[in-house]
């Protein structure tokens, strides 16, 4: 697993490095063109270099924020072009602010920034096209085989059907072994009929296999431990199906979990007072920054809701609702009201995609997450964090705990304004959807760290800009 993760990191790093070189070179060429075509005198070396570094850094950060460096980006090439445009638009806006206010001495010729932005867009689109078309920067996809072709192995076939799901590896096939549930097993994938015995070593060597995935339905008495032990000593990675799915999809397959895997796996780090205090300090600081910038929009939203139906019905522009927080503790979440005052006259209901209870303004503020902004108050109170599983209603939690294994474990961390599940599974309105989102929530609980929080925070820009989720 470590070997494959390392290859994925190299692939991502190579893409970032290549695009950084392209951006820096194109920015220099933009300056060169301005000097020679417009006839303006050349700026100092320091000024040009500082602008190139600033532009390169901001383009890379904005590209990350819109998901362009996401290893499992499920997007058409047209979608990638759209994200490149958004990334450069954000960069243009930030550079204009920085060079107009904070670092005015770095301001270049008025034509420099639009010229550089246009050329960078063209260069990155062409680079992404040929990278995708020719399979460049692959850095050697991991060749792997799956031992097992039954019900457990079928999870790979069901969840990783598309080519984009298999960018990091080349799957040679599935090896059926005794004990597999073939009735609910592999249907359309290649089956490799080779005995997992002493001769299996030859198959591994002859096919340059770098990783073996253990996905058989029954392990006791069916797995050749000595053969796998020998393969491991030869440098072949031996990976459990749960670890493989966690690594490749960013989720934990809850319905396949077993206690010993949780006991022996990495992650699930305990909280401590110092970490909690640091987390609260960071969250309140970020909430204060967001409040300063979003305050005018929040005031405008409140006024629109009031004049839309609040004045007529006498209902508050805010909506308070009981939710389940850290360690199952209940708290009142605060949101801008996006539904009619009588939305729950018949009791608690799941929100649906085209819910007729949502008001006119409600559709807009829910799409772009504006209705969530009052939860900054919950962050100041210490009831929520910026990043964490979304808090659910106690009426639904009681039902979900009964129907979904390990559901209560998502309450081991503070609920959040944004989360890993919202990035990867943006809509949920049923028990089945809650199961899918739990897979990502448990992944977050297991891998919670400051770096992961920063990644989610940056990637949330993508959700807001493209109106994903609710």
């Amino acid at each position: 697993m470590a070997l494959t993760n390392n290859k994925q990191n190299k692939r991502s790093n190579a893409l970032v490095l290549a695009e950084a070189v392209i951006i820096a070179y194109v920015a220099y060429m933009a300056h060169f063109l301005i000097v020679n075509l417009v006839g303006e005198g050349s700026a100092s070396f320091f000024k040009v270099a500082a602008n190139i570094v600033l532009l390169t850094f901001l383009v890379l950060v904005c590209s990350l924020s819109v998901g362009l460096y996401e290893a499992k980006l499920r997007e058409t090439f047209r979608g990638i072009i759209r994200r490149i445009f958004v990334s450069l638009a954000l960069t243009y806006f930030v550079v204009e602010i920085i060079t107009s206010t904070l670092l005015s001495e770095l301001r270049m010729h008025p034509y420099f920034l639009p010229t550089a932005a246009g050329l960078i867009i063209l260069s990155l689109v062409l680079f992404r096209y040929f990278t995708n078309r020719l399979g460049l920067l692959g850095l050697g996809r991991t060749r792997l085989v799956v031992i097992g072709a039954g019900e457990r192995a079928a999870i790979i076939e069901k969840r990783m059907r598309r080519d984009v799901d298999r960018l990091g590896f080349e799957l040679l096939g599935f090896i059926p072994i005794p004990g597999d549930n073939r009735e609910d097993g592999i249907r359309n994938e290649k089956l490799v009929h080779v005995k997992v015995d002493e001769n299996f070593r030859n198959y591994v060597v002859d096919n340059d296999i770098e990783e073996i995935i253990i996905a058989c339905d029954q392990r006791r008495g069916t797995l050749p431990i000595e053969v796998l032990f020998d393969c491991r000593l030869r440098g072949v990675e031996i990976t459990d199906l749960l670890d493989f799915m966690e690594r490749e999809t960013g989720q934990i397959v809850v319905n396949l979990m077993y206690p010993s895997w949780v006991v022996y796996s990495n992650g699930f780090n305990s909280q401590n007072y110092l970490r909690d205090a640091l987390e609260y300090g960071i969250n309140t600081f970020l909430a204060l920054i967001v409040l300063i910038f979003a305050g005018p929009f929040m005031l405008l939203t409140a006024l629109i809701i009031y004049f839309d139906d609040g004045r007529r019905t006498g209902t508050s522009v805010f909506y308070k609702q009981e939710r389940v927080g850290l360690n199952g503790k209940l708290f009142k979440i605060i949101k801008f009201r996006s539904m009619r005052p009588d939305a729950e006259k018949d009791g608690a209901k799941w929100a649906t995609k085209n819910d007729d209870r949502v008001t006119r303004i409600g559709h807009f503020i829910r799409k772009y997450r504006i209705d969530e902004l009052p939860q900054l108050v919950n962050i100041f109170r210490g009831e929520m964090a910026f990043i964490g599983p979304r808090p659910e209603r106690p009426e639904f939690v009681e039902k979900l705990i009964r129907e979904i294994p390990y559901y209560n474990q998502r309450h081991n961390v503070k609920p959040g304004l944004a989360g890993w599940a919202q990035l990867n599974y943006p809509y949920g309105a049923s028990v089945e959807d809650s199961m899918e989102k739990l897979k990502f929530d448990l992944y977050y609980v297991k891998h919670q760290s400051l770096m992961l929080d920063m990644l989610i925070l940056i990637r949330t820009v993508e959700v807001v800009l493209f109106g994903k989720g609710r």
Side-chain angles (χ1 to χ4, degrees):
M1 185 173 181
L3 178 65
T4 308
N5 277 331
N6 191 37
K7 287 193 174 186
Q8 289 181 343
N9 291 335
K10 285 183 178 179
R11 190 178 299 111
S12 298
N13 293 341
L15 180 61
V16 172
L17 181 61
E19 293 198 344
V21 172
I22 291 172
I23 295 164
Y25 178 74
V26 170
Y28 172 76
M29 289 304 298
H31 168 67
F32 180 82
L33 290 173
I34 295 299
V35 170
N36 288 276
L37 297 181
V38 180
E40 292 289 329
S42 178
S44 68
F45 172 79
F46 172 79
K47 189 175 181 179
V48 174
N51 272 275
I52 291 175
V53 171
L54 178 64
L55 197 58
T56 302
F57 173 75
L58 288 175
V59 172
L60 293 178
V61 171
C62 291
S63 296
L64 174 64
S65 72
V66 298
L68 282 170
Y69 298 127
E70 172 62 30
K72 299 293 179 289
L73 179 63
R74 293 168 173 81
E75 188 65 276
T76 62
F77 184 66
R78 182 180 296 179
I80 290 176
I81 293 176
R82 182 178 65 168
R83 290 168 189 263
I84 290 174
F85 269 92
V86 172
S87 171
L88 265 296
L90 287 172
T91 302
Y92 194 106
F93 176 71
V94 174
V95 171
E96 277 289 340
I97 291 178
I98 291 176
T99 56
S100 298
T101 56
L102 301 177
L103 300 172
S104 56
E105 64 274 11
L106 292 182
R107 194 155 184 84
M108 298 281 283
H109 188 278
Y111 291 166
F112 169 73
L113 191 54
T115 303
L119 291 176
I120 289 172
I121 289 174
L122 179 62
S123 301
L124 292 183
V125 168
L126 290 173
F127 177 70
R128 287 292 180 124
Y129 174 79
F130 286 109
T131 300
N132 293 348
R133 187 89 176 189
L134 302 177
L136 302 177
L137 298 180
L139 298 177
R141 297 164 70 199
T142 303
R143 291 170 61 85
L144 59 85
V145 68
V146 179
I147 294 183
E151 186 177 2
R152 291 179 69 85
I155 195 73
I156 298 176
E157 183 180 50
K158 294 173 183 175
R159 297 296 178 89
M160 309 181 76
R161 295 187 300 270
R162 298 177 294 182
D163 292 338
V164 71
D165 298 320
R166 304 183 181 189
L167 289 175
F169 62 89
E170 179 184 354
L171 179 54
L172 301 186
F174 295 77
I175 302 176
I177 64 172
D180 280 345
N181 178 8
R182 297 292 292 115
E183 184 177 341
D184 298 319
I186 298 299
R187 288 285 179 268
N188 303 310
E189 298 282 349
K190 179 182 178 181
L191 297 179
V192 179
H193 295 284
V194 58
K195 289 186 177 181
V196 188
D197 54 15
E198 297 296 324
N199 296 322
F200 183 65
R201 298 187 186 91
N202 298 329
Y203 173 80
V204 170
V205 173
D206 294 342
N207 291 276
D208 296 322
I209 293 173
E210 300 167 274
E211 186 173 17
I212 299 170
I213 310 301
I214 307 300
C216 48
D217 291 338
Q218 294 184 24
R219 297 190 178 193
R220 186 170 298 178
T222 60
L223 278 180
I225 300 301
E226 292 184 4
V227 176
L228 295 176
F229 180 79
D230 183 66
C231 289
R232 185 69 190 91
L233 290 179
R234 292 170 183 267
V236 179
E237 289 284 320
I238 310 296
T239 306
D240 183 83
L241 174 64
L242 277 169
D243 292 321
F244 174 73
M245 294 299 295
E246 179 184 345
R247 182 188 77 202
E248 296 296 330
T249 66
Q251 61 176 281
I252 294 176
V253 187
V254 179
N255 50 315
L256 297 184
M257 280 176 63
Y258 45 91
S260 61
W261 178 81
V262 177
V263 170
Y264 292 112
S265 64
N266 294 323
F268 298 112
N269 296 321
S270 62
Q271 299 290 106
N272 57 66
Y273 176 78
L274 182 61
R275 180 174 174 177
D276 289 343
L278 178 62
E279 180 188 86
Y280 177 74
I282 294 174
N283 277 290
T284 51
F285 174 75
L286 289 175
L288 184 60
I289 298 298
V290 172
L291 185 61
I292 291 172
F293 283 97
F297 297 101
M298 294 174 68
L299 179 60
L300 178 61
T301 302
L303 289 173
I304 293 175
I305 295 173
Y306 174 74
F307 286 112
D308 183 45
D309 73 343
R311 180 174 57 174
R312 174 174 51 83
T313 63
T315 309
S316 172
V317 299
F318 297 106
Y319 180 64
K320 295 183 180 181
Q321 191 179 68
E322 201 169 58
R323 296 292 176 98
V324 179
L326 178 64
N327 298 322
K329 185 178 179 180
L330 300 180
F331 71 99
K332 292 280 189 179
I333 198 172
I334 307 172
K335 303 173 70 173
F336 279 124
R337 183 170 56 81
S338 59
M339 289 189 176
R340 302 192 311 264
D342 62 346
E344 296 201 330
K345 60 182 179 181
D346 299 322
K349 296 179 180 178
W350 291 100
T352 56
K353 192 169 186 178
N354 297 307
D355 204 317
D356 60 3
R357 298 173 297 167
V358 179
T359 62
R360 289 177 299 176
I361 183 63
H363 284 291
F364 179 82
I365 65 175
R366 285 162 70 94
K367 182 178 181 180
Y368 293 100
R369 303 296 180 92
I370 299 173
D371 63 321
E372 312 280 4
L373 288 175
Q375 290 166 47
L376 295 173
V377 175
N378 295 114
I379 294 176
F380 285 124
R381 291 176 178 174
E383 298 164 334
M384 292 179 62
F386 255 96
I387 307 300
R390 289 294 295 156
E392 194 52 84
R393 302 177 64 172
E395 300 95 323
F396 296 147
V397 168
E398 291 179 9
K399 179 181 180 181
L400 294 170
I401 289 175
R402 291 194 301 268
E403 298 189 19
I404 301 177
Y406 305 103
Y407 187 84
N408 209 29
Q409 271 55 57
R410 72 194 298 273
H411 301 129
N412 290 344
V413 297
K414 277 185 183 180
L417 193 62
W420 185 241
Q422 279 63 47
L423 291 178
N424 294 280
Y425 194 88
Y427 191 82
S430 66
V431 173
E432 291 73 21
D433 288 327
S434 295
M435 166 71 92
E436 293 302 315
K437 298 188 85 166
L438 177 63
K439 296 173 182 178
F440 294 105
D441 285 336
L442 288 184
Y443 179 91
Y444 174 78
V445 173
K446 183 181 180 186
H447 296 278
Q448 185 188 16
S449 66
L450 182 59
M451 289 303 296
L452 179 59
D453 286 354
M454 290 176 62
L455 172 64
I456 295 172
L457 199 59
I458 293 174
R459 286 282 317 282
T460 299
V461 175
E462 172 191 356
V463 177
V464 175
L465 288 176
F466 296 106
K468 293 184 176 181
R470 288 189 296 107

